[in-house]
């Protein structure tokens, strides 16, 4: 969500006495409406509220339970909801069923300006505090936010930390798990013409205390069918730059070699594939490597992963090869 176009008042704006009285009365009405809801989470009185936590409850939309951002709407009885849900409830207050109209809760919007709240990923390690209107933008890019499942064979919606996703890949997707920094895989397919959007294999490697996903698949590149192999790092982008990898495929006295930096799983499988950031093998070349009558695909892909180390003297990166 973009916040550059948010229409809200800032604490530095000069407002006259009538506006102050209006906002005070509007907020008092809002607090009263919440205290009359009978909910255990409601605020009993503006004088007995529990600071930021209670105001944050006021800023939670009763329909979608997400935090509300301008424009915040309210009914004549002071019940609020977000602008997205206003269209979903057909202009009827979800609390009292009265017609909503076009009343904007400027008082609550102004109160939100004064709030500073922790990132919602505090339990995952983020200790940052942000103004209310900046919090959502940070959370969309927070380094501690959960990762999406890197499995490409289906539209998996599972998210979580790296240890959780490793177990999920092993137990739910039955992905092959290997330890070590070198690999030697053989891919065989009886009908190499069936390539359109066919994800073939995902293998997870554990080395240097990290996890890496090796993808190998077939898809159409323009009018030509191709095979592609690439590596993704199970961690953030900054950390992924500490590693490099190579892939090699060949046969009949010929070979192709690719070297690069693994992409973070923050980048989707499709994004990496469509950027062609990996070893790409044209079908004719793949069949040539396969040998025989060229009617069956038999490819052997080898490779290794290594960690780049900082040279303490010159500052340059030098490879730390895994034995």
């Amino acid at each position: 969500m973009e916040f550059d176009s948010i229409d809200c008042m800032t604490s530095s704006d000069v407002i006259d006495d009538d506006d102050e009285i209006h906002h005070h009365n509007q907020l008092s009405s809002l607090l009263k409406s919440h205290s009359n809801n009978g909910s255990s989470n409601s605020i009993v009185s503006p004088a007995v509220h529990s600071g930021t936590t209670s105001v944050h409850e006021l800023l939670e939309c009763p329909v979608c339970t997400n935090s509300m951002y301008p424009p915040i709407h309210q009914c004549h009885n002071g019940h609020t909801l977000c602008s997205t849900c206003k269209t979903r409830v057909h202009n009827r207050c979800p609390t009292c069923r009265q017609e909503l109209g076009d009343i904007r809760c400027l008082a609550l919007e102004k109160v939100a300006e004064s709030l500073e709240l922790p990132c919602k990923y505090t339990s995952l390690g983020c200790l940052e505090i942000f103004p209310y209107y900046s919090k959502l933008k940070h959370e969309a890019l927070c380094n501690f936010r959960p990762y999406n499942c890197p499995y490409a064979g289906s539209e998996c919606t599972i998210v979580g930390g790296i240890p959780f996703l490793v177990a999920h890949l092993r137990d739910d997707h039955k992905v092959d798990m290997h330890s070590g920094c070198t690999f030697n895989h053989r891919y065989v397919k009886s009908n190499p013409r069936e390539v359109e959007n066919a994800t073939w294999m995902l293998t997870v490697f554990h080395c240097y205390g990290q996890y890496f996903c090796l993808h190998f698949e077939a898809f159409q590149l323009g009018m030509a069918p191709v095979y592609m192999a690439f590596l993704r790092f199970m961690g953030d982008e900054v950390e992924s730059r500490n590693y490099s990898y190579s892939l090699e495929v060949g046969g009949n006295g010929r070979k192709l070699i690719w070297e690069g930096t693994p992409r973070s799983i923050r980048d989707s499988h499709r994004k990496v594939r469509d950027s062609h950031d990996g070893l790409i093998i044209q079908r004719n070349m793949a069949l040539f490597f396969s040998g025989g009558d060229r009617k069956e695909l038999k490819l052997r892909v080898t490779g290794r992963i290594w960690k780049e180390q900082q040279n303490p003297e010159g500052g340059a990166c030098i490879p730390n090869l895994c034995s």
Side-chain angles (χ1 to χ4, degrees), residues 48-74:
V48 195
H49 67 79
S50 58
T52 300
T53 301
S54 295
V55 176
H56 190 233
E57 290 172 359
L58 279 177
L59 288 163
E60 184 180 279
C61 175
V63 179
C64 65
T65 70
N66 293 327
S67 296
M68 296 185 289
Y69 294 88
I72 299 174
H73 298 278
Q74 73 172 50

Side-chain angles (χ1 to χ4, degrees), residues 41 167 180 197 210 217 234 247 271 304 306:
N41 292 326
N197 297 324
Q210 306 290 345
E217 66 176 82
M234 295 188 71
L247 296 171
K271 181 178 180 180
R304 62 185 177 90
W306 66 91

